[in-house]
Amino acid sequence: MKNTENKNNSSPHLPFGDQRTAPWYGKSIISVKQFSKGDLKYIFEVAHEMREMVGRVGTFDLLKGKILANLFYEPSTRTASSFTAAMERLGGSVIPINEVKYSSVAKGESLPDTIRSLECYSDVIVLRHPDLGASQLAAQYARKPIINAGDGIGEHPTQALLDLFTIIVERGPVDGCTVTMLGDLKYGRTVHSLSRLLSLYDVKLNFVSPDILSLPREIISELQEQKIPFQEFTDLDSALPDSDVLYVTRVQKERFEDPQEYEKVRGTYIISKQTLEKAKEDLVLMHPLPRVGEISMDLDDDPRAAYFRQMEYGMYVRMALLAMVLGKA
Ligand code: ASP
């Protein structure tokens, strides 16, 4: 009887099988440093399959019976809702904690205790937190996989994965690409994760920012160690013409201790139709969003503007990651 049950649970009709021995089963996703080029190839293959399945059937039961706890200590539109959509499209369900002020966190509960409580009710926890290293800390206490959805100014690994997937879908191979990242490179966690991921490929990187928002020296050293050719600029003019990808970011207002410092750098770069006159015809224009004026809305209809498609790709990548850590891919 037991055997039959197990057999049924393994759902042989499901497209991705049930591989309890899958390498990512039960693992937390904390930093992009965990991924090899082979892992990325695999994740993107699964994401492509997810995209196809969503196009064909919309929702399917790969993660039926599984529960995701979506624990957000910071605001989120895309990450929270795309994880929810990803889980629901895979037939699972979600405990949403988007407003920690209505949870016991407001009573002073510690992160480890909140994690140990939520994992009693769920199979995987997606965590966004203002503190650098919070996901790592949570993973030390958790028995269930933790997925880092942004730890302060640290990393945002799932965003970087979807950014890379976007480059592949929109442009093709990553090798040979010149990627220019612009804006708040100091506090922008998506830039930290993406530059690390890109350093696995044969790419050239340009970093354009005001002096006070340049890429952290730690990441610069990592790029040097990997022998990635890169240049730093304070204006976009010389970096733009050769760029295949322009990755624009928001100045992270919430990270500034002194609001006057923020005022000095906000609005430094605004990408408009006129800016893109000097760009390649097949440039991929990306932004992790939200934008607060860095890309003018009159570019939204330009075929090079990939930022809304980028959001959609994020759902497929997150479906792939959920399936992987829950042993179904
Ligand atoms: N949504 C991204 C993040 O959470 C980018 C941003 O907020 O500017 O890091």
Side-chain angles (χ1 to χ4, degrees), residues 92-260:
S93 40
V94 181
I95 302 172
I97 306 193
N98 294 330
E99 278 284 5
V100 284
K101 67 171 182 262
Y102 297 122
S103 74
S104 284
V105 171
K107 300 180 190 168
E109 187 169 63
S110 69
L111 179 63
D113 280 5
T114 303
I115 293 291
R116 284 183 291 206
S117 308
L118 283 175
E119 70 178 358
C120 297
Y121 314 131
S122 60
D123 302 287
V124 53
I125 298 174
V126 169
L127 173 68
R128 170 169 291 181
H129 197 284
D131 293 349
L132 181 69
S135 293
Q136 178 65 50
L137 176 75
Q140 277 161 19
Y141 287 90
R143 288 174 292 116
K144 308 278 172 68
I146 301 289
I147 300 181
N148 180 2
D151 60 330
I153 61 166
E155 280 218 32
H156 194 346
T158 68
Q159 176 73 44
L161 290 169
L162 79 87
D163 293 338
L164 202 54
F165 187 66
T166 301
I167 297 175
I168 293 167
V169 175
E170 294 279 321
R171 190 185 176 275
V174 182
D175 286 327
C177 253
T178 298
V179 179
T180 297
M181 301 192 205
L182 170 104
D184 186 346
L185 311 182
K186 178 180 182 188
Y187 297 124
R189 55 194 173 199
T190 70
V191 170
H192 303 165
S193 292
L194 183 58
S195 22
R196 284 181 169 135
L197 266 194
L198 284 169
S199 71
L200 294 173
Y201 295 84
D202 176 15
V203 289
K204 269 198 214 144
L205 303 179
N206 295 318
F207 298 108
V208 185
S209 71
D211 280 332
I212 62 161
L213 296 180
S214 64
L215 197 67
R217 297 302 102 177
E218 179 198 343
I219 300 179
I220 295 280
S221 313
E222 288 174 26
L223 296 174
Q224 283 164 338
E225 268 165 41
Q226 312 253 26
K227 303 208 170 8
I228 299 299
F230 70 89
Q231 277 185 280
E232 294 183 276
F233 302 90
T234 51
D235 72 70
L236 181 61
D237 289 355
S238 36
L240 184 62
D242 290 334
S243 302
D244 299 299
V245 175
L246 176 59
Y247 188 90
V248 182
T249 63
R250 168 180 76 91
V251 177
Q252 309 278 299
K253 184 179 181 187
E254 67 276 29
R255 311 289 177 211
F256 283 75
E257 274 168 23
D258 178 355
Q260 282 179 346

Side-chain angles (χ1 to χ4, degrees), residues 64-84:
K64 190 164 190 244
K66 299 289 181 192
I67 297 179
L68 157 72
N70 231 6
L71 177 59
F72 281 71
Y73 288 72
E74 281 190 337
S76 170
T77 300
R78 278 147 291 271
T79 308
S81 56
S82 67
F83 266 113
T84 300

